[in-house]
Amino acid sequence: MSDRIKKVVLAVRAVLAKGAAGVGAVARSGARPGLRGVLALCAIGGGGYLLVKHPPVAKIERGNVGIRLNQLNGAASVVRDGTVVLIPGVHELRQLPVLDQIYKAAGSGEQPYQSVEGLALGVDLSVRYAIDPAKLVKVAQTLPDDIRAAVIDPAVQGVIYKVVTRYTVREIFSSKRAEIQQVIEAELKPKLAADGILLRHVTIGKITLPREYMAGMETLLAEELQTEKMRYTLELKEKQVKQTALEADADKIKREKAAEAAGNEQIIAAGRRSRPWRTCCRSSRNRSSSAGWKRKPKRPRVSRRRKARPRRA
């Protein structure tokens, strides 16, 4: 506690002690209290009441920031931590949260919204926001105490109603949920920023659909599952047909290769059967050459030219 606070507390104690001493002296003397005694008692009682109802010292809670407002001149000062001194009847302290707050839109279990087809549905939507640190004094001076009920709730509900009515139930439930979330953020952020509130994030959770639509969707999903099953069955049959064709082609190629190999074997066997005659001829030639048989040398050819006849004159 600071020295200033200690001085204020000591001064209040001294005043109360003097008043109590005066009252005690009057009571001991047995005399009736005069006008001064009555006034002293009234002053002591009034001071005690003021101290109880408007204590001169206040503590800033954890996660909050204090704004001390002067009701005489309208000045404001920001107190971050610790204890702050307040003059009764002059100062007013307002504490604002500096941490992020979570707001959940009403209607997560109910069906307060409508789609473009006119069907009622519920949206579990959470909004994360915080007070702009640069606009704490403005927020404390202009906004009411319950910021969530006075500012956040009307802004969020108005944006949700306007955005949800642009889409069908199927789009809200499945295909365009991320787009709807981005549109809500884009339209809600400037509205809250005008009041000194920062929008952190918007999250869409569970979607509550009408019972009739749920029944129709279940039937549609069952039909889609059946269609998918048929498609996968046809694809499987087609793959089985292709596999059978490939196996048949493989068997055909295998038989062709076997026939080709058998033909080659027959050709090789036929060649082996013709080889003994060739070897017999070769052996007889070798024997004749070894016995001394030789071929007669060929006589050289003599070219005979015809004599040229004399030409007649």
Short mmCIF file of all heavy atoms in Angstrom, two decimals, residues 12-77:
data_model
loop_
_atom_site.label_atom_id
_atom_site.label_comp_id
_atom_site.label_asym_id
_atom_site.label_seq_id
_atom_site.Cartn_x
_atom_site.Cartn_y
_atom_site.Cartn_z
N VAL A 12 -8.68 9.09 8.59
CA VAL A 12 -10.02 8.59 8.89
C VAL A 12 -10.06 8.00 10.29
O VAL A 12 -11.01 8.22 11.06
CB VAL A 12 -10.43 7.56 7.83
CG1 VAL A 12 -11.74 6.87 8.22
CG2 VAL A 12 -10.59 8.22 6.47
N ARG A 13 -9.04 7.28 10.67
CA ARG A 13 -8.98 6.72 12.02
C ARG A 13 -8.95 7.81 13.08
O ARG A 13 -9.59 7.70 14.14
CB ARG A 13 -7.75 5.82 12.16
CG ARG A 13 -7.87 4.50 11.43
CD ARG A 13 -6.63 3.68 11.66
NE ARG A 13 -6.72 2.38 10.99
CZ ARG A 13 -5.74 1.47 11.00
NH1 ARG A 13 -4.59 1.74 11.64
NH2 ARG A 13 -5.90 0.33 10.37
N ALA A 14 -8.19 8.87 12.81
CA ALA A 14 -8.10 9.95 13.79
C ALA A 14 -9.44 10.63 13.98
O ALA A 14 -9.85 10.94 15.11
CB ALA A 14 -7.04 10.96 13.33
N VAL A 15 -10.18 10.85 12.87
CA VAL A 15 -11.49 11.49 12.99
C VAL A 15 -12.45 10.61 13.77
O VAL A 15 -13.18 11.06 14.66
CB VAL A 15 -12.06 11.80 11.58
CG1 VAL A 15 -13.51 12.27 11.68
CG2 VAL A 15 -11.21 12.87 10.91
N LEU A 16 -12.45 9.34 13.47
CA LEU A 16 -13.33 8.42 14.19
C LEU A 16 -12.94 8.32 15.66
O LEU A 16 -13.81 8.23 16.54
CB LEU A 16 -13.28 7.03 13.53
CG LEU A 16 -13.87 6.95 12.11
CD1 LEU A 16 -13.69 5.54 11.56
CD2 LEU A 16 -15.34 7.33 12.12
N ALA A 17 -11.66 8.34 15.92
CA ALA A 17 -11.22 8.25 17.32
C ALA A 17 -11.64 9.48 18.11
O ALA A 17 -12.09 9.38 19.25
CB ALA A 17 -9.70 8.08 17.38
N LYS A 18 -11.54 10.67 17.51
CA LYS A 18 -11.97 11.88 18.20
C LYS A 18 -13.47 11.85 18.47
O LYS A 18 -13.94 12.21 19.54
CB LYS A 18 -11.61 13.12 17.38
CG LYS A 18 -10.11 13.40 17.33
CD LYS A 18 -9.84 14.64 16.51
CE LYS A 18 -8.34 14.93 16.47
NZ LYS A 18 -8.04 16.13 15.65
N GLY A 19 -14.24 11.46 17.49
CA GLY A 19 -15.68 11.39 17.69
C GLY A 19 -16.05 10.40 18.77
O GLY A 19 -16.92 10.65 19.62
N ALA A 20 -15.42 9.26 18.77
CA ALA A 20 -15.70 8.25 19.79
C ALA A 20 -15.29 8.75 21.17
O ALA A 20 -15.97 8.51 22.18
CB ALA A 20 -14.97 6.95 19.45
N ALA A 21 -14.19 9.50 21.27
CA ALA A 21 -13.75 10.04 22.57
C ALA A 21 -14.74 11.07 23.09
O ALA A 21 -15.07 11.11 24.29
CB ALA A 21 -12.36 10.66 22.42
N GLY A 22 -15.27 11.91 22.19
CA GLY A 22 -16.25 12.89 22.62
C GLY A 22 -17.52 12.24 23.12
O GLY A 22 -18.10 12.63 24.13
N VAL A 23 -17.98 11.23 22.41
CA VAL A 23 -19.18 10.52 22.83
C VAL A 23 -18.96 9.83 24.16
O VAL A 23 -19.82 9.84 25.06
CB VAL A 23 -19.62 9.53 21.74
CG1 VAL A 23 -20.76 8.65 22.23
CG2 VAL A 23 -20.02 10.27 20.49
N GLY A 24 -17.80 9.27 24.35
CA GLY A 24 -17.50 8.60 25.62
C GLY A 24 -17.46 9.57 26.78
O GLY A 24 -17.93 9.27 27.88
N ALA A 25 -16.93 10.76 26.55
CA ALA A 25 -16.87 11.76 27.62
C ALA A 25 -18.26 12.22 28.01
O ALA A 25 -18.59 12.39 29.19
CB ALA A 25 -16.03 12.96 27.17
N VAL A 26 -19.12 12.41 27.02
CA VAL A 26 -20.49 12.82 27.32
C VAL A 26 -21.21 11.73 28.10
O VAL A 26 -21.98 11.98 29.04
CB VAL A 26 -21.24 13.17 26.01
CG1 VAL A 26 -22.71 13.40 26.28
CG2 VAL A 26 -20.63 14.40 25.37
N ALA A 27 -20.99 10.49 27.70
CA ALA A 27 -21.67 9.39 28.39
C ALA A 27 -21.18 9.24 29.82
O ALA A 27 -21.96 8.96 30.74
CB ALA A 27 -21.44 8.09 27.63
N ARG A 28 -19.90 9.49 30.08
CA ARG A 28 -19.37 9.35 31.43
C ARG A 28 -19.84 10.48 32.34
O ARG A 28 -20.04 10.31 33.53
CB ARG A 28 -17.83 9.33 31.38
CG ARG A 28 -17.27 7.99 30.86
CD ARG A 28 -15.79 7.92 31.15
NE ARG A 28 -15.07 9.01 30.47
CZ ARG A 28 -14.58 8.90 29.24
NH1 ARG A 28 -14.77 7.78 28.54
NH2 ARG A 28 -13.93 9.91 28.70
N SER A 29 -20.02 11.65 31.76
CA SER A 29 -20.45 12.79 32.60
C SER A 29 -21.92 12.66 33.02
O SER A 29 -22.35 13.28 33.98
CB SER A 29 -20.23 14.10 31.86
OG SER A 29 -21.04 14.12 30.69
N GLY A 30 -22.69 11.87 32.30
CA GLY A 30 -24.10 11.68 32.66
C GLY A 30 -24.98 12.81 32.19
O GLY A 30 -26.19 12.78 32.44
N ALA A 31 -24.40 13.82 31.55
CA ALA A 31 -25.21 14.94 31.08
C ALA A 31 -25.87 14.59 29.77
O ALA A 31 -25.43 13.72 29.03
CB ALA A 31 -24.32 16.18 30.91
N ARG A 32 -26.94 15.29 29.51
CA ARG A 32 -27.61 15.06 28.24
C ARG A 32 -26.79 15.65 27.11
O ARG A 32 -26.25 16.73 27.23
CB ARG A 32 -28.99 15.70 28.27
CG ARG A 32 -29.94 15.05 29.27
CD ARG A 32 -31.29 15.73 29.18
NE ARG A 32 -32.23 15.11 30.12
CZ ARG A 32 -33.48 15.50 30.27
NH1 ARG A 32 -33.96 16.53 29.54
NH2 ARG A 32 -34.27 14.89 31.14
N PRO A 33 -26.69 14.93 26.02
CA PRO A 33 -25.92 15.47 24.92
C PRO A 33 -26.62 16.69 24.33
O PRO A 33 -27.83 16.70 24.12
CB PRO A 33 -25.87 14.32 23.91
CG PRO A 33 -27.05 13.47 24.24
CD PRO A 33 -27.28 13.62 25.72
N GLY A 34 -25.82 17.71 24.10
CA GLY A 34 -26.37 18.91 23.49
C GLY A 34 -26.41 18.80 21.98
O GLY A 34 -26.30 17.72 21.39
N LEU A 35 -26.56 19.98 21.35
CA LEU A 35 -26.64 20.02 19.90
C LEU A 35 -25.33 19.57 19.26
O LEU A 35 -25.33 18.86 18.26
CB LEU A 35 -26.98 21.46 19.45
CG LEU A 35 -27.13 21.68 17.95
CD1 LEU A 35 -28.21 20.77 17.38
CD2 LEU A 35 -27.41 23.14 17.66
N ARG A 36 -24.23 19.96 19.90
CA ARG A 36 -22.94 19.55 19.35
C ARG A 36 -22.76 18.04 19.41
O ARG A 36 -22.23 17.41 18.49
CB ARG A 36 -21.82 20.24 20.11
CG ARG A 36 -21.78 21.75 19.89
CD ARG A 36 -20.61 22.34 20.65
NE ARG A 36 -20.53 23.80 20.43
CZ ARG A 36 -19.59 24.58 20.97
NH1 ARG A 36 -18.66 24.03 21.77
NH2 ARG A 36 -19.59 25.87 20.71
N GLY A 37 -23.19 17.44 20.48
CA GLY A 37 -23.06 15.98 20.59
C GLY A 37 -23.90 15.25 19.56
O GLY A 37 -23.49 14.26 18.96
N VAL A 38 -25.13 15.77 19.35
CA VAL A 38 -25.99 15.15 18.34
C VAL A 38 -25.38 15.28 16.96
O VAL A 38 -25.36 14.34 16.15
CB VAL A 38 -27.38 15.77 18.39
CG1 VAL A 38 -28.24 15.24 17.25
CG2 VAL A 38 -28.05 15.48 19.73
N LEU A 39 -24.85 16.48 16.68
CA LEU A 39 -24.21 16.68 15.39
C LEU A 39 -22.99 15.78 15.21
O LEU A 39 -22.73 15.24 14.13
CB LEU A 39 -23.82 18.15 15.21
CG LEU A 39 -24.99 19.14 15.09
CD1 LEU A 39 -24.46 20.58 15.03
CD2 LEU A 39 -25.84 18.83 13.87
N ALA A 40 -22.23 15.61 16.32
CA ALA A 40 -21.06 14.74 16.25
C ALA A 40 -21.46 13.30 15.98
O ALA A 40 -20.84 12.59 15.17
CB ALA A 40 -20.27 14.83 17.55
N LEU A 41 -22.52 12.86 16.67
CA LEU A 41 -23.00 11.50 16.42
C LEU A 41 -23.48 11.33 14.99
O LEU A 41 -23.22 10.31 14.33
CB LEU A 41 -24.12 11.16 17.40
CG LEU A 41 -23.71 11.00 18.87
CD1 LEU A 41 -24.96 10.79 19.73
CD2 LEU A 41 -22.75 9.82 19.03
N CYS A 42 -24.19 12.32 14.49
CA CYS A 42 -24.65 12.24 13.10
C CYS A 42 -23.48 12.23 12.12
O CYS A 42 -23.48 11.49 11.12
CB CYS A 42 -25.56 13.43 12.78
SG CYS A 42 -27.15 13.36 13.68
N ALA A 43 -22.48 13.03 12.41
CA ALA A 43 -21.31 13.07 11.53
C ALA A 43 -20.58 11.73 11.54
O ALA A 43 -20.15 11.22 10.50
CB ALA A 43 -20.37 14.19 11.96
N ILE A 44 -20.45 11.16 12.75
CA ILE A 44 -19.76 9.86 12.84
C ILE A 44 -20.56 8.78 12.10
O ILE A 44 -20.00 7.97 11.34
CB ILE A 44 -19.55 9.48 14.31
CG1 ILE A 44 -18.57 10.46 14.95
CG2 ILE A 44 -19.05 8.05 14.42
CD1 ILE A 44 -18.45 10.29 16.44
N GLY A 45 -21.87 8.79 12.29
CA GLY A 45 -22.69 7.79 11.60
C GLY A 45 -22.67 7.96 10.10
O GLY A 45 -22.57 6.98 9.33
N GLY A 46 -22.76 9.24 9.67
CA GLY A 46 -22.71 9.48 8.22
C GLY A 46 -21.37 9.11 7.62
O GLY A 46 -21.29 8.53 6.54
N GLY A 47 -20.30 9.43 8.37
CA GLY A 47 -18.97 9.05 7.87
C GLY A 47 -18.80 7.55 7.77
O GLY A 47 -18.23 7.02 6.81
N GLY A 48 -19.30 6.84 8.80
CA GLY A 48 -19.22 5.37 8.74
C GLY A 48 -20.01 4.79 7.58
O GLY A 48 -19.56 3.85 6.91
N TYR A 49 -21.19 5.36 7.36
CA TYR A 49 -22.01 4.87 6.25
C TYR A 49 -21.32 5.11 4.91
O TYR A 49 -21.30 4.25 4.02
CB TYR A 49 -23.37 5.56 6.28
CG TYR A 49 -24.26 5.19 5.11
CD1 TYR A 49 -24.96 3.98 5.11
CD2 TYR A 49 -24.40 6.04 4.02
CE1 TYR A 49 -25.77 3.64 4.04
CE2 TYR A 49 -25.20 5.72 2.95
CZ TYR A 49 -25.89 4.51 2.96
OH TYR A 49 -26.69 4.16 1.91
N LEU A 50 -20.74 6.32 4.76
CA LEU A 50 -20.03 6.61 3.52
C LEU A 50 -18.83 5.70 3.32
O LEU A 50 -18.52 5.25 2.21
CB LEU A 50 -19.57 8.08 3.51
CG LEU A 50 -20.68 9.12 3.36
CD1 LEU A 50 -20.10 10.52 3.47
CD2 LEU A 50 -21.40 8.95 2.01
N LEU A 51 -18.12 5.40 4.43
CA LEU A 51 -16.96 4.52 4.31
C LEU A 51 -17.37 3.10 3.93
O LEU A 51 -16.65 2.40 3.21
CB LEU A 51 -16.18 4.51 5.63
CG LEU A 51 -15.44 5.79 5.98
CD1 LEU A 51 -14.80 5.66 7.35
CD2 LEU A 51 -14.36 6.08 4.94
N VAL A 52 -18.53 2.67 4.42
CA VAL A 52 -18.98 1.32 4.09
C VAL A 52 -19.49 1.24 2.66
O VAL A 52 -19.18 0.31 1.91
CB VAL A 52 -20.07 0.87 5.09
CG1 VAL A 52 -20.69 -0.46 4.64
CG2 VAL A 52 -19.47 0.72 6.48
N LYS A 53 -20.31 2.23 2.27
CA LYS A 53 -20.90 2.20 0.93
C LYS A 53 -19.91 2.63 -0.14
O LYS A 53 -19.93 2.09 -1.25
CB LYS A 53 -22.14 3.10 0.89
CG LYS A 53 -23.27 2.64 1.79
CD LYS A 53 -23.84 1.30 1.35
CE LYS A 53 -24.55 1.40 0.03
NZ LYS A 53 -25.20 0.12 -0.37
N HIS A 54 -19.08 3.57 0.16
CA HIS A 54 -18.10 4.09 -0.80
C HIS A 54 -16.72 4.08 -0.14
O HIS A 54 -16.25 5.12 0.34
CB HIS A 54 -18.47 5.50 -1.25
CG HIS A 54 -19.86 5.60 -1.81
ND1 HIS A 54 -20.20 5.19 -3.08
CD2 HIS A 54 -21.02 6.06 -1.24
CE1 HIS A 54 -21.48 5.40 -3.30
NE2 HIS A 54 -22.01 5.93 -2.20
N PRO A 55 -16.06 2.93 -0.13
CA PRO A 55 -14.74 2.88 0.50
C PRO A 55 -13.74 3.72 -0.28
O PRO A 55 -13.80 3.79 -1.52
CB PRO A 55 -14.40 1.39 0.46
CG PRO A 55 -15.24 0.82 -0.63
CD PRO A 55 -16.49 1.63 -0.64
N PRO A 56 -12.81 4.36 0.39
CA PRO A 56 -11.84 5.22 -0.30
C PRO A 56 -10.75 4.46 -1.01
O PRO A 56 -9.92 5.06 -1.70
CB PRO A 56 -11.27 6.07 0.84
CG PRO A 56 -11.39 5.19 2.04
CD PRO A 56 -12.65 4.40 1.85
N VAL A 57 -10.70 3.13 -0.84
CA VAL A 57 -9.65 2.31 -1.45
C VAL A 57 -10.33 1.16 -2.19
O VAL A 57 -11.25 0.54 -1.67
CB VAL A 57 -8.67 1.77 -0.39
CG1 VAL A 57 -7.63 0.88 -1.03
CG2 VAL A 57 -8.00 2.92 0.35
N ALA A 58 -9.88 0.90 -3.40
CA ALA A 58 -10.40 -0.21 -4.20
C ALA A 58 -9.24 -0.97 -4.82
O ALA A 58 -8.18 -0.40 -5.11
CB ALA A 58 -11.35 0.30 -5.28
N LYS A 59 -9.46 -2.26 -5.01
CA LYS A 59 -8.43 -3.12 -5.57
C LYS A 59 -8.84 -3.58 -6.97
O LYS A 59 -9.98 -3.96 -7.20
CB LYS A 59 -8.22 -4.35 -4.67
CG LYS A 59 -7.12 -5.27 -5.15
CD LYS A 59 -6.97 -6.46 -4.22
CE LYS A 59 -5.87 -7.40 -4.70
NZ LYS A 59 -5.72 -8.59 -3.83
N ILE A 60 -7.87 -3.53 -7.89
CA ILE A 60 -8.11 -3.97 -9.27
C ILE A 60 -8.02 -5.49 -9.31
O ILE A 60 -7.02 -6.08 -8.90
CB ILE A 60 -7.11 -3.34 -10.25
CG1 ILE A 60 -7.10 -1.81 -10.10
CG2 ILE A 60 -7.43 -3.76 -11.67
CD1 ILE A 60 -8.42 -1.18 -10.38
N GLU A 61 -9.08 -6.12 -9.79
CA GLU A 61 -9.09 -7.58 -9.87
C GLU A 61 -8.15 -8.09 -10.95
O GLU A 61 -7.77 -7.36 -11.88
CB GLU A 61 -10.52 -8.07 -10.15
CG GLU A 61 -11.54 -7.68 -9.09
CD GLU A 61 -11.26 -8.35 -7.75
OE1 GLU A 61 -10.61 -9.42 -7.76
OE2 GLU A 61 -11.69 -7.81 -6.72
N ARG A 62 -7.79 -9.36 -10.79
CA ARG A 62 -6.89 -9.99 -11.75
C ARG A 62 -7.57 -10.12 -13.12
O ARG A 62 -8.71 -10.53 -13.22
CB ARG A 62 -6.48 -11.38 -11.25
CG ARG A 62 -5.56 -12.14 -12.20
CD ARG A 62 -5.20 -13.48 -11.61
NE ARG A 62 -4.45 -14.28 -12.55
CZ ARG A 62 -4.97 -15.08 -13.47
NH1 ARG A 62 -6.29 -15.16 -13.55
NH2 ARG A 62 -4.21 -15.78 -14.29
N GLY A 63 -6.83 -9.75 -14.18
CA GLY A 63 -7.37 -9.80 -15.54
C GLY A 63 -8.18 -8.59 -15.92
O GLY A 63 -8.74 -8.57 -17.03
N ASN A 64 -8.28 -7.58 -15.04
CA ASN A 64 -9.05 -6.37 -15.33
C ASN A 64 -8.13 -5.16 -15.33
O ASN A 64 -6.99 -5.21 -14.86
CB ASN A 64 -10.16 -6.16 -14.30
CG ASN A 64 -11.23 -7.24 -14.39
OD1 ASN A 64 -11.29 -7.99 -15.35
ND2 ASN A 64 -12.09 -7.32 -13.39
N VAL A 65 -8.65 -4.08 -15.84
CA VAL A 65 -7.99 -2.79 -15.78
C VAL A 65 -9.01 -1.78 -15.25
O VAL A 65 -10.19 -1.84 -15.57
CB VAL A 65 -7.46 -2.38 -17.18
CG1 VAL A 65 -8.59 -2.22 -18.16
CG2 VAL A 65 -6.65 -1.09 -17.10
N GLY A 66 -8.55 -0.86 -14.39
CA GLY A 66 -9.44 0.11 -13.77
C GLY A 66 -9.39 1.46 -14.45
O GLY A 66 -8.32 1.93 -14.84
N ILE A 67 -10.53 2.08 -14.58
CA ILE A 67 -10.65 3.44 -15.11
C ILE A 67 -11.31 4.29 -14.03
O ILE A 67 -12.48 4.09 -13.70
CB ILE A 67 -11.45 3.50 -16.42
CG1 ILE A 67 -10.72 2.73 -17.54
CG2 ILE A 67 -11.68 4.93 -16.85
CD1 ILE A 67 -11.07 1.29 -17.62
N ARG A 68 -10.56 5.23 -13.48
CA ARG A 68 -11.08 6.11 -12.43
C ARG A 68 -11.64 7.37 -13.08
O ARG A 68 -10.92 8.14 -13.71
CB ARG A 68 -9.97 6.46 -11.43
CG ARG A 68 -10.45 7.29 -10.25
CD ARG A 68 -9.35 7.46 -9.23
NE ARG A 68 -8.18 8.12 -9.80
CZ ARG A 68 -7.04 8.33 -9.13
NH1 ARG A 68 -6.94 7.92 -7.87
NH2 ARG A 68 -6.02 8.91 -9.71
N LEU A 69 -12.92 7.58 -12.89
CA LEU A 69 -13.62 8.70 -13.50
C LEU A 69 -13.88 9.78 -12.46
O LEU A 69 -14.38 9.49 -11.36
CB LEU A 69 -14.95 8.24 -14.10
CG LEU A 69 -14.87 7.11 -15.15
CD1 LEU A 69 -16.26 6.65 -15.54
CD2 LEU A 69 -14.09 7.56 -16.36
N ASN A 70 -13.53 11.01 -12.78
CA ASN A 70 -13.79 12.16 -11.92
C ASN A 70 -15.15 12.74 -12.30
O ASN A 70 -15.33 13.25 -13.41
CB ASN A 70 -12.69 13.20 -12.08
CG ASN A 70 -12.74 14.25 -10.99
OD1 ASN A 70 -13.82 14.62 -10.51
ND2 ASN A 70 -11.57 14.76 -10.61
N GLN A 71 -16.10 12.67 -11.39
CA GLN A 71 -17.45 13.12 -11.69
C GLN A 71 -17.58 14.64 -11.69
O GLN A 71 -18.60 15.17 -12.14
CB GLN A 71 -18.43 12.51 -10.68
CG GLN A 71 -18.48 11.00 -10.74
CD GLN A 71 -19.46 10.42 -9.75
OE1 GLN A 71 -20.09 11.15 -8.97
NE2 GLN A 71 -19.61 9.09 -9.77
N LEU A 72 -16.58 15.34 -11.21
CA LEU A 72 -16.64 16.81 -11.18
C LEU A 72 -16.19 17.42 -12.51
O LEU A 72 -16.85 18.32 -13.05
CB LEU A 72 -15.79 17.34 -10.04
CG LEU A 72 -16.23 16.92 -8.62
CD1 LEU A 72 -15.30 17.52 -7.59
CD2 LEU A 72 -17.68 17.34 -8.36
N ASN A 73 -15.06 16.98 -13.03
CA ASN A 73 -14.53 17.56 -14.27
C ASN A 73 -14.54 16.59 -15.45
O ASN A 73 -14.14 16.95 -16.55
CB ASN A 73 -13.10 18.09 -14.06
CG ASN A 73 -12.19 17.01 -13.50
OD1 ASN A 73 -12.52 15.82 -13.49
ND2 ASN A 73 -11.02 17.42 -13.02
N GLY A 74 -14.95 15.33 -15.25
CA GLY A 74 -15.01 14.35 -16.34
C GLY A 74 -13.70 13.74 -16.73
O GLY A 74 -13.62 13.03 -17.73
N ALA A 75 -12.64 13.99 -15.95
CA ALA A 75 -11.33 13.41 -16.27
C ALA A 75 -11.34 11.92 -15.97
O ALA A 75 -12.10 11.43 -15.13
CB ALA A 75 -10.24 14.12 -15.48
N ALA A 76 -10.47 11.20 -16.67
CA ALA A 76 -10.37 9.75 -16.49
C ALA A 76 -8.91 9.34 -16.51
O ALA A 76 -8.11 9.88 -17.27
CB ALA A 76 -11.13 9.01 -17.58
N SER A 77 -8.57 8.38 -15.67
CA SER A 77 -7.21 7.85 -15.60
C SER A 77 -7.29 6.33 -15.55
O SER A 77 -8.20 5.76 -14.96
CB SER A 77 -6.47 8.38 -14.38
OG SER A 77 -7.17 8.03 -13.19
#
